Amino acid sequence: MRLRLTLALLATTCSGCGLVRPVVVTPPPAPSSYSTAVEPRTEPPAPSTAPEGGVPSPQPKVGEPARPAEHVPQDEVWWSAFADPALDAAIRECFGNSLVLHDVRDLIYENQLDPNVPQGWWYPLQVGILNPAGLSHVVTIVPPAPATQAKYTIATADVGLTYQVDLFGNLAAQRSAGLNFAEQQRQLTEARVQDMAMRLTQLWFDILEARALRDLTQRQIDYNKELLRLIQARFEQHLTPRLAVLQQEQLLLNLEAQVPLISARNALLNSELKALLGRVPDPTDDIVPLERQLPDLPPSPKLGTPGDLNANTPEMRLQELRVAEVEHRINANRASWLPTIQLVGSVGAAKVGLSEPILHQSVVGVNLTWALFDGRRFTEHKRLPIQLHRRHVQYQLALNTAIGRVQDAVVQEETGATSLRALRAQVLLGQQLLDEARRLFEQGRSDYLTVLSALTNLVGLERASLQAQRLLLNHRVAVYRSLGGTWSRDVTLNRE
């Protein structure tokens, strides 16, 4: 009988070890390169060679040999490309003092210490008075006839120990699922960190744009004041109608009315920047150095391949963890169908009455609990594969979204750079046009309407050029953010 029981337990152990499988998450298929072409298609697309439901492989260009894509590490911080020590110091201050980041960072360690998740070897261990200790007064009838009445007092107390042996990996699977959830919180925090770096950089450039717009507006006001004095002088000489004076005064007042609006926007941007840095919001412009100007676009980063996004972006790392979490829960569910084995031991004493000696007692043994059917676990067993399939679908969807973010940001940057070059060329041409219109007006060979048209056109072009430069920097920051990076993990490891 003992041999049969031993063989049964051995067979159960071997089968249980096979149920718990190592969790390995395979990333979804990804194309080998990004598609950033913006030219309109002139020929119909070639038929897809991908199997149904698969991802088509990109076709190499004519005359260009196929080559493997270069793996691009993303360990370095991207804002160093702008070579601005003040910007670097502001971002580091944000990471160190931001109250929002302090909150979400602590949540990582809070989830790691969830009491419902097995933490270590001490989790299944219980030591103490596990069985009730007490003092009882007993009155009983003792047979045979004639029955007699017995009264006695009994006191019991024992210290016990139980330890669940994780023979089939149930506790380990639960622990892995719990730590996986905490790591998901880390990836969410890393995404928050990268968003904060992007937002702070955008605010930095917004302030520089507001300053540049204020200076540009002031130069335009000075030029229009000079032109107004010229028109008034010609009006006094009866060389220009009063309509030209009124038109110039209206344009000048329009420019002067924009100055307080620009100052107000600059103040709001500085308040938002200080709030992001963890300071009390203040509209004073004292964070961005006064000598800073909107920088030129740094060299383009290496994009790598779409497959690199699985390791470089926190959104993809999160989706991988979400798939692994369900795998761990499947392992825990499988292991829960196997016996639960506990090592038990206790040492105690009992005393009956005052005259009887103390009775010592000790117990050492093994408890085995085996639920052959559990409706809750059965329902979970049916539900987890469906949840795993949904997580795989979300993983593929997240990859498609991440690839689209990179491609959209690159396309916007390329088209923005082309637009900025055209606007700057128009600004130079508009300045020449204004100079020529003013020269003809001063010589009396043209009316003021030509000057007004050229001046209004130049004002709009200069503002559009400044805005295009700012948008181009926005697109570059979006490229950096879409490529992600692993630098954000170091930020989340800083625990207060």
Side-chain angles (χ1 to χ4, degrees), residues 2 5 31 57 66 72 104 121 141 150 170 173 180 226 281 284 303 326 346 350 382 390 401 408 457 470 476 496:
R2 293 181 179 179
L5 180 61
S57 57
V72 180
V104 295
W121 62 267
I141 303 298
N170 186 10
N180 178 287
E226 177 188 354
T284 307
L303 301 182
V326 181
S346 65
K382 302 292 288 184
R390 290 184 60 246
T401 303
D408 293 347
N457 180 63
R470 173 67 189 91
R476 171 54 61 86
E496 290 73 17

Side-chain angles (χ1 to χ4, degrees), residues 332-352:
N333 180 269
R334 289 172 175 170
S336 66
W337 291 97
L338 300 173
T340 300
I341 299 176
Q342 285 186 327
L343 303 179
V344 298
S346 65
V347 176
K351 182 173 177 58
V352 181

Side-chain angles (χ1 to χ4, degrees), residues 297 411-423 468 472 475:
L297 204 63
V411 168
Q412 287 180 321
E413 180 186 321
E414 292 177 352
T415 54
T418 303
S419 176
L420 178 59
R421 287 192 294 267
L423 282 171
L472 185 59
H475 298 327

Side-chain angles (χ1 to χ4, degrees), residues 94-107 496:
C94 173
F95 292 161
N97 299 335
S98 173
L99 299 178
V100 175
L101 185 56
H102 283 203
D103 178 47
V104 295
R105 183 190 289 140
D106 286 343
L107 190 57
E496 290 73 17

Side-chain angles (χ1 to χ4, degrees), residues 256-423:
E256 290 177 340
Q258 296 180 22
V259 174
L261 299 178
I262 298 173
S263 299
R265 180 173 182 269
N266 190 38
L268 295 177
L269 291 173
N270 279 280
S271 292
E272 184 178 354
L273 177 61
K274 292 182 180 179
L276 195 59
L277 294 177
R279 305 185 188 182
V280 177
D282 185 354
T284 307
D285 189 359
D286 57 356
I287 299 294
V288 183
L290 295 177
E291 69 275 8
R292 291 293 190 275
Q293 296 180 354
L294 280 175
D296 293 328
L297 204 63
S300 299
K302 295 181 179 179
L303 301 182
T305 66
D308 296 335
L309 298 175
N310 291 309
N312 289 336
T313 60
E315 291 81 7
M316 294 305 301
R317 295 194 292 265
L318 172 63
Q319 295 301 326
E320 180 181 1
L321 289 169
R322 283 169 55 82
V323 173
E325 177 196 0
V326 181
E327 294 279 8
H328 289 306
R329 297 194 184 282
I330 289 176
N331 282 338
N333 180 269
R334 289 172 175 170
S336 66
W337 291 97
L338 300 173
T340 300
I341 299 176
Q342 285 186 327
L343 303 179
V344 298
S346 65
V347 176
K351 182 173 177 58
V352 181
L354 297 178
S355 59
E356 298 297 328
I358 298 177
L359 303 177
H360 298 279
Q361 55 186 7
S362 61
V363 176
V364 176
V366 178
N367 286 343
L368 185 144
T369 304
W370 194 348
L372 297 179
F373 181 81
D374 187 331
R376 183 189 64 83
R377 286 185 299 201
F378 180 76
T379 303
E380 185 183 35
H381 170 73
K382 302 292 288 184
R383 175 178 179 267
L384 285 174
I386 302 175
Q387 188 176 14
L388 180 62
H389 179 265
R390 290 184 60 246
R391 293 287 174 92
H392 278 292
V393 172
Q394 293 169 3
Y395 198 4
Q396 179 69 65
L397 178 61
L399 178 60
N400 295 342
T401 303
I403 295 174
R405 289 178 61 183
V406 175
Q407 295 177 163
D408 293 347
V410 172
V411 168
Q412 287 180 321
E413 180 186 321
E414 292 177 352
T415 54
T418 303
S419 176
L420 178 59
R421 287 192 294 267
L423 282 171

Side-chain angles (χ1 to χ4, degrees), residues 74-75 190 194 311-314 317 480 483-489:
Q74 296 288 336
D75 294 332
E190 288 195 44
Q194 297 196 14
N312 289 336
T313 60
R317 295 194 292 265
Y480 289 136
L483 293 176
T486 57
W487 55 267
S488 51
R489 180 174 179 83

